[in-house]
Amino acid sequence: MSSTTVARVTTITARSPESFESAIREGVARAHATLRNVSGAWVKEQKVECADGSITAYQVTLEVTFVLDD
């Protein structure tokens, strides 16, 4: 028997009006609610939206890794 693990990576984006950390937490929580066996996430990109010289939203692009069922 083999103990090989196979995982898949999917890209998601998440936004928050508060912070990058909040956007990351929300993205990981949503991925966990939708996908089984989420094992990690890589922050691929961060960007902000601005209006009148102020930041209005923080957005992250996450590469989420989840282990496939046997």
Side-chain angles (χ1 to χ4, degrees):
M1 300 206 97
S2 174
S3 63
T4 303
T5 301
V6 178
R8 182 171 182 155
V9 177
T10 190
T11 303
I12 65 170
T13 59
R15 291 180 55 195
S16 169
E18 298 168 11
S19 67
F20 286 122
E21 182 177 350
S22 178
I24 293 166
R25 288 183 188 280
E26 187 63 33
V28 170
R30 182 67 173 89
H32 177 73
T34 304
L35 303 168
R36 289 189 309 272
N37 305 320
V38 172
S39 63
W42 170 52
V43 179
K44 184 176 179 180
E45 181 178 75
Q46 296 179 322
K47 73 177 198 175
V48 294
E49 294 177 11
C50 302
D52 298 322
S54 296
I55 296 173
T56 58
Y58 298 83
Q59 180 173 314
V60 294
T61 301
L62 302 171
E63 296 283 331
V64 178
T65 303
F66 58 101
V67 178
L68 299 177
D69 292 335
D70 289 336

